[in-house]
């Protein structure tokens, strides 16, 4: 069984996330998603609208996702790859090159980011709309 691993906040889930998860799953048979905890999001200077528990609930409902684990630190990736027997590590290409150190442990794939959508864009446009 070919196992795939990816990381992210996945807040206000949108079609860019789904495109990423769909293509990640197509690279293997089993997809694990490590979702940033609320505490780790603070380290990433991100404040998710949905809590970790609710982002986990949402991700677990997606047909491409087989397992959801917490992302607590930047440094846990090597341990995760080894512990979960990962064959392929996947991220959107806004992270291109950042995780090449994992090539010692598994395949590293950066997938083209979906243009035209982001959680930040959603938040900005909703805020503007509410001010009209
Ligand atoms: N993504 C994408 N297209 C978009 C938006 C996001 O392909 N329009 C991808 C990102 O490249 C990432 C994944 O969806 O691979 C999750 O995006 P975020 O939730 O923004 O994750 P991020 O904050 O980049 O966290 O240790 C890694 C970090 O946890 C990544």
């Amino acid at each position: 069984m070919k196992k795939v691993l990816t990381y992210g906040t996945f807040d206000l889930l949108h079609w860019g996330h789904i495109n990423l998860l769909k293509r990640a799953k197509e690279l293997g048979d089993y997809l694990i998603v490590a979702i940033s905890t609320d505490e780790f999001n603070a380290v990433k200077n991100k404040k998710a609208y949905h809590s970790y528990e609710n982002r986990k609930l949402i991700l677990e409902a997606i047909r491409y996702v087989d397992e959801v684990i917490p992302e607590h630190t930047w440094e846990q990736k090597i341990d995760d790859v080894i512990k979960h027997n990962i064959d392929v590590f996947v991220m959107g290409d806004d992270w291109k090159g950042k995780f090449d150190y994992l090539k010692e442990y598994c395949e590293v794939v950066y997938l083209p980011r979906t243009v035209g959508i982001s959680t930040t864009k959603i938040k900005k446009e909703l805020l503007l709309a509410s001010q009209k």
Side-chain angles (χ1 to χ4, degrees):
M1 178 169 67
K2 199 169 182 187
K3 298 183 78 179
V4 184
L5 173 65
T6 190
Y7 291 74
T9 298
F10 293 99
D11 191 31
L12 300 185
L13 200 70
H14 55 67
W15 42 281
H17 293 136
I18 298 299
N19 280 342
L20 186 283
L21 295 169
K22 183 172 186 297
R23 286 173 294 161
K25 181 59 179 282
E26 286 164 356
L27 294 171
D29 310 294
Y30 189 89
L31 174 61
I32 301 178
V33 182
I35 300 189
S36 310
T37 60
D38 297 330
E39 296 73 17
F40 181 53
N41 268 332
V43 172
K44 288 168 41 178
N45 290 320
K46 271 194 164 184
K47 174 112 180 63
Y49 177 82
H50 293 305
S51 67
Y52 169 78
E53 285 311 318
N54 287 332
R55 285 181 285 120
K56 180 172 186 287
L57 187 72
I58 293 168
L59 262 276
E60 285 171 340
I62 295 173
R63 69 177 66 182
Y64 308 118
V65 177
D66 297 287
E67 184 179 350
V68 175
I69 62 173
E71 179 185 30
H72 297 287
T73 68
W74 290 113
E75 297 77 22
Q76 70 182 71
K77 293 184 175 66
I78 293 175
D79 289 346
D80 288 346
V81 167
I82 294 167
K83 192 169 105 184
H84 294 277
N85 260 323
I86 298 301
D87 302 288
V88 189
F89 168 86
V90 178
M91 285 302 292
D93 64 3
D94 45 318
W95 291 94
K96 193 165 180 58
K98 298 287 190 309
F99 303 114
D100 288 355
Y101 64 88
L102 293 171
K103 285 181 178 171
E104 248 182 273
Y105 305 93
C106 63
E107 207 184 323
V108 174
V109 176
Y110 299 103
L111 296 170
R113 211 180 142 83
T114 301
V115 177
I117 186 67
S118 70
T119 303
T120 308
K121 183 173 188 283
I122 293 170
K123 286 180 176 175
K124 273 189 189 147
E125 288 180 6
L126 285 177
L127 179 64
L128 278 176
S130 70
Q131 289 162 346
K132 282 183 181 139

